[in-house]
């Protein structure tokens, strides 16, 4: 009689991804694939014996209900606010501090970043229509003030305290023109508006915590809009006209036209920006340039570190994430295939497998948007890649 052979199937093996197409199917029979599991290797320091453990990959659960029925366009876990600031809704996003509505912006909130100046934290927001916004940490403490408005004038006088008021905040009252915003904070008792009042009275004035950056020198054009990043009291962003721009010193909303430096080592367009240690890193569609604060008295404070230049591009700002001292990003298709790469200690290394490259390449060729996020969970550093159809509906999520 014939004896059936015994086949041992190991719980732990070497990834062999031939034929994997991004679904649960294994096309070639001899291949193996591990789904939704994590392997832990524990080594006995005395005997030297190694033991493998397999456990379910960390998953997701609901934190809070913020804006039911509306798609989220952005989120940041803040340090100084000690809360989660999120954006929901399209074509215009409403911003929430926790579950508190702090105002609606124009356009979808694409990028959220955090900064601090003089003990006040700011969540910086870049919107899909090119506008820029900011949310100060003390802005929601007081929403109603009393002040004297004068018909035909833009100033508001007699305010007990302008604490929590900021340029760009939307304000309203019986005699303030609809759509008016604070232009400047003149003193602790006076503000000016960007439109004249229609009547005269001492009346209650209501403001919205979210503030719009009103500077005419802010570049709002471009297909790939970058986020803001801060260093040494400046806010930096890049534009597809080839420049790295910065705010005036120690402000998040004032910008001067000459405050810029060209990212011109390569002919490609800047599309993303991030701070890495003492460097401002400008990512282009086919290159990476590094800048340091040279303390220039006029124009940009930055100088270019040409010796650190790398001919590796990025998809856009959405395909970049930072975890501790490392920056992860999806490279552009300038040289063909796209990859997941890591910038660490000023060196770039590829970390994705051929199978992941294939999935990302297929999604990119179909016009899908790829979002990158990084976090630690269950003792692991995790990189989340979210492939979205037309940038809204997730079609593939994987770590």
């Amino acid at each position: 009689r014939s004896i059936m052979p015994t086949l041992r199937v190991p719980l732990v093996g070497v990834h062999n991804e031939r034929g994997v197409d991004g679904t649960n199917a294994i096309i070639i029979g001899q291949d193996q694939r591990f789904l939704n599991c994590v392997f832990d290797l524990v080594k006995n320091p005395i005997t030297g014996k190694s033991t493998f453990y397999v456990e379910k990959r960390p998953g997701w659960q609901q934190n809070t209900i913020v804006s039911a029925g509306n798609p989220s366009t952005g989120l940041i876990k803040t340090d100084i606010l000690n809360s989660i600031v999120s954006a929901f809704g399209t074509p215009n996003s409403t911003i929430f501090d926790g579950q508190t509505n702090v105002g609606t912006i124009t356009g979808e909130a694409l990028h959220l970043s955090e900064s601090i100046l003089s003990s006040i934290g700011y969540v910086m927001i870049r919107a899909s229509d090119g506008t820029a916004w900011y949310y100060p940490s003390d802005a929601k403490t007081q929403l109603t003030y009393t002040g004297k408005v004068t018909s035909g004038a833009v100033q508001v006088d007699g305010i007990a305290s302008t604490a929590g008021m900021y340029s760009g905040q939307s304000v309203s009252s019986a005699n303030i023109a609809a759509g008016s915003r604070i232009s400047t904070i003149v003193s602790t008792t006076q503000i000016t508006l960007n439109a004249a009042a229609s009547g005269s009275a001492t009346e209650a004035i209501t403001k919205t915590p979210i503030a719009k950056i009103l500077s005419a020198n802010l570049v709002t054009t471009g297909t790939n809009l970058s986020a803001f990043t801060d260093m040494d009291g400046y806010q930096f962003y890049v534009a597809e006209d080839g420049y790295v721009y910065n705010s005036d010193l120690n402000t998040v909303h004032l910008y001067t036209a000459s405050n810029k430096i060209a990212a011109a080592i390569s002919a490609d367009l800047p599309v993303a920006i991030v701070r890495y240690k003492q460097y401002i890193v400008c990512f282009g569609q086919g290159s990476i340039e590094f800048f340091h604060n040279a303390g220039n008295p006029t124009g940009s404070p930055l100088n270019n570190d040409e010796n650190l230049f790398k001919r590796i591009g990025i998809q856009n700002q959405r395909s970049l994430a930072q975890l501790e001292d490392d920056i992860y990003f999806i490279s552009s298709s300038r040289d063909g295939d796209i990859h997941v790469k890591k910038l660490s200690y000023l060196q770039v290394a590829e970390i994705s497998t051929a199978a992941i490259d294939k999935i990302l390449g297929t999604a990119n060729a179909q016009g899908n948007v790829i979002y990158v996020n990084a976090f630690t969970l269950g003792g692991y550093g995790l990189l989340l890649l979210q492939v979205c159809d037309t940038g809204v509906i997730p079609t593939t999520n994987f770590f």
Side-chain angles (χ1 to χ4, degrees):
R1 62 179 183 176
S2 61
I3 300 176
M4 296 295 293
T6 299
L7 176 64
R8 292 184 178 273
V9 181
L11 290 178
V12 179
V14 178
H15 284 280
N16 186 0
E17 302 285 4
R18 292 174 298 170
V20 173
D21 59 358
T23 69
N24 292 335
I26 299 177
I27 298 175
I28 300 178
Q30 65 265 35
D31 287 346
Q32 57 184 337
R33 190 181 185 198
F34 305 104
L35 294 174
N36 299 324
C37 60
V38 176
F39 298 119
D40 274 323
L41 172 62
V42 178
K43 188 172 184 178
N44 189 309
I46 299 175
T47 65
K49 180 181 178 180
S50 296
T51 303
F52 282 96
Y53 296 89
V54 60
E55 61 180 329
K56 182 180 180 296
R57 186 193 67 184
W60 306 94
Q61 67 179 19
Q62 179 178 290
N63 184 306
T64 54
I65 297 177
V66 178
S67 183
N70 291 311
S72 175
T73 64
L75 177 148
I76 183 172
K77 185 177 181 181
T78 63
D79 290 321
I80 194 166
L81 287 167
N82 194 30
S83 63
I84 294 175
V85 175
S86 57
F88 286 84
T90 181
N92 299 319
S93 292
T94 300
I95 311 301
F96 293 85
D97 182 351
Q99 294 177 285
T100 302
N101 182 335
V102 293
T104 299
I105 68 173
T106 62
E108 296 179 9
L110 294 179
H111 314 300
L112 289 81
S113 58
E114 188 178 21
S115 181
I116 185 170
L117 289 172
S118 301
S119 76
I120 301 296
Y122 299 88
V123 174
M124 306 298 297
I125 304 169
R126 197 71 188 276
S128 59
D129 62 357
T131 57
W133 308 73
Y134 65 102
Y135 171 48
S137 58
D138 63 342
K140 75 171 183 178
T141 303
Q142 182 176 349
L143 301 181
T144 302
Y145 301 77
T146 299
K148 179 183 179 181
V149 298
T150 303
S151 179
V154 296
Q155 72 270 14
V156 179
D157 304 301
I159 302 172
S161 171
T162 56
M165 285 184 155
Y166 290 87
S167 171
Q169 288 176 331
S170 176
V171 290
S172 61
S173 74
N175 291 290
I176 290 178
S180 294
R181 294 185 180 276
I182 298 174
S183 179
T184 56
I185 309 298
V186 179
S187 68
T188 58
T189 61
Q190 185 186 68
I191 63 174
T192 61
L193 308 178
N194 62 354
S198 59
S200 300
T202 297
E203 58 190 12
I205 299 170
T206 302
K207 65 145 202 213
T208 301
I210 288 292
K212 182 179 182 180
I213 294 178
L214 302 177
S215 173
N217 294 317
L218 180 78
V219 179
T220 60
T221 57
T223 301
N224 294 288
L225 300 166
S226 85
F228 288 96
T229 192
D230 69 322
M231 187 172 74
D232 301 337
Y234 297 97
Q235 293 293 323
F236 295 92
Y237 70 98
V238 298
E240 288 181 313
D241 60 0
Y243 288 92
V244 178
Y245 288 87
N246 63 273
S247 68
D248 294 349
L249 181 62
N250 294 328
T251 176
V252 299
H253 70 277
L254 296 178
Y255 294 79
T256 302
S258 59
N259 289 354
K260 61 182 181 179
I261 183 173
I265 297 179
S266 178
D268 59 312
L269 301 176
V271 294
I273 192 170
V274 70
R275 177 181 176 178
Y276 182 75
K277 299 184 183 298
Q278 74 270 33
Y279 296 98
I280 293 296
V281 186
C282 170
F283 287 86
Q285 294 176 326
S287 66
I288 306 174
E289 295 189 41
F290 295 79
F291 299 84
H292 70 274
N293 187 351
N296 302 320
T298 60
S300 173
L302 303 178
N303 279 359
N304 197 318
D305 287 275
E306 297 185 4
N307 60 312
L308 297 177
F309 171 80
K310 303 184 188 304
R311 195 171 290 280
I312 302 169
I314 195 174
Q315 293 285 301
N316 49 54
Q317 188 80 53
R318 292 168 294 192
S319 58
L320 179 152
Q322 193 163 6
L323 182 62
E324 297 177 346
D325 283 337
D326 298 322
I327 296 171
Y328 298 88
F329 64 97
I330 299 176
S331 65
S332 69
S333 56
R334 179 180 180 275
D335 293 323
D337 290 340
I338 64 177
H339 311 277
V340 182
K341 294 182 179 290
K342 178 176 74 170
L343 173 63
S344 183
Y345 298 101
L346 303 179
Q347 300 300 315
V348 176
E350 184 175 329
I351 64 171
S352 55
T353 65
I356 291 178
D357 290 344
K358 180 180 178 181
I359 295 171
L360 295 178
T362 300
N364 182 65
Q366 294 173 348
N368 291 354
V369 177
I370 305 170
Y371 295 89
V372 178
N373 197 0
F375 51 93
T376 59
L377 184 65
Y380 296 95
L382 300 175
L383 187 66
L384 172 64
L385 308 180
Q386 188 174 45
V387 179
C388 295
D389 182 15
T390 69
V392 177
I393 303 174
T395 58
T396 306
N397 297 285
F398 54 96
F399 296 107

